[in-house]
Structures are given as C-alpha cells and as structure tokens.
Amino acid sequence: MPRSALPVRVARGAMAALFAAVVVVGPASPAAAHAALSASQPGQNTRVAQSPEEIVLTFTEPLNGDYTTIVVSDAAGAQMPVDGPTVDQQRGIVRPVQPLPDGVYTVAYRVVSVDGHPVQGAFRFAVNVPLTGASADSAQDGAAAGSDEAGDGSRRGWLLAFAGAVVLLIGGAAVVALRGRRRVS
C-alpha cells in the first residue's frame, strides 16, 4: 500500500471510532438526567416580609405527581399544615393552611421525575425574622445533600460515557495504526 494511503485509513478509522462513541454517549445522556431543584418561591435562604400564600418549587424536569412530597417545618421541627402538594409539570406547589407566623422554616422535598429517579433535598427561608448564618449554612448543606443525589448520578453517567468514548477512540486508532503497519511491512 502506498504511504499516502495511511493517513486516509487513519482518518477513516478515527471517524468510525467517533461514530461508535456517539452511539455509546447518545443513549447514556437522557438516562443520566434527573430532576433537580432549579428555583423556589420563596427563594432559598431568603427573608420574606409576610407569610407566602404558596410555596413553589421548580425542577429541571417534569415531576410524577403520585410521588411528590413537600413538607414545611418550623424551627422546632414541627410540620406546618399545608394543602398539596399539587404538581404542574415541573412545579410542585403547597399552600399553607394558615399564615405562617414569623420565624424560620424548612421546606423538605422528595420528588420523582418522570424518568423514575427520586431526588430529595431541603432549604430554608424566613418570615419577617433574620435568617442567621448557622441556619443558612445548614439549609445549604441540606439542599446540597438532596441535589447531590441527582448530580452524582448525572456526573457518574457522563463520566462513564466519556470514558467509554475515549476507550473507543484510542482502541479504534490503535487498530487502524496496527493494520496500516502490517500492510506496509
């Protein structure tokens, strides 16, 4: 085989390996996705002047209403009575039965996205009182623990897909290079 044909064969082999990587990575992407809390009203670690009429959690994916739980607790851990949750696509909504007295509240959630993966977390907000540094820090820890459950799975899936693609690319290039060497010899 002429020497000028070797780069063409390497390029073809690389394209074949790239195609194989896309086939491996493509299906892994949607399976790695989970719902994650993207916004809330009241916002995480915020102070509001009066009791909210509703507490809205917005997620990155549609929720399964049959498996959505949202609980509001006061600083002592007592659950506050709420109506709901109701689910509207990517939003979970609860409405306090009575106005929340001044204080710090924790909103804890456990949701299942339509892909079947559960995600849980928590955050705090305050009604007409300062949100202390300690309570804000623990709220961030709780929210991070819940969002990491989704994030770890998603990161793990992407990392696995990326590693598979790299192995395919290197393996494909090695095969093409070895075939080229055998024919040149």
Side-chain angles (χ1 to χ4, degrees):
M1 167 166 59
R3 210 153 193 23
S4 64
L6 184 60
V8 172
R9 292 186 57 75
V10 170
R12 284 184 184 156
M15 289 302 289
L18 182 60
F19 176 75
V22 169
V23 169
V24 169
V25 173
S29 326
H34 302 300
L37 183 65
S38 61
S40 65
Q41 188 59 37
Q44 297 180 30
N45 300 321
T46 61
R47 177 182 173 190
V48 295
Q50 59 187 21
S51 175
E53 291 183 21
E54 62 183 15
I55 299 168
V56 181
L57 283 67
T58 304
F59 293 85
T60 56
E61 295 193 10
L63 304 175
N64 182 331
D66 294 335
Y67 302 104
T68 297
T69 302
I70 302 172
V71 176
V72 180
S73 304
D74 65 13
Q79 281 190 16
M80 307 307 294
V82 295
D83 284 333
T86 57
V87 171
D88 178 20
Q89 293 295 316
Q90 295 172 256
R91 298 176 347 140
I93 304 164
V94 293
R95 291 175 179 83
V97 172
Q98 302 170 1
L100 299 174
D102 293 352
V104 176
Y105 295 90
T106 300
V107 178
Y109 59 87
R110 179 171 172 81
V111 300
V112 176
S113 58
V114 292
D115 69 0
H117 289 94
V119 176
Q120 62 188 17
F123 66 91
R124 292 190 181 168
F125 72 94
V127 176
N128 205 29
V129 298
L131 194 63
T132 65
S135 63
D137 289 343
S138 62
Q140 287 176 336
D141 292 344
S147 62
D148 282 350
E149 183 177 320
D152 284 349
S154 180
R155 276 180 246 138
R156 229 178 278 124
W158 277 106
L159 183 60
L160 183 60
F162 180 74
V166 168
V167 167
L168 283 173
L169 285 171
I170 292 171
V175 166
V176 169
L178 288 174
R179 282 185 179 173
R181 275 187 157 173
R182 285 187 202 146
R183 290 186 182 167
V184 171
S185 301

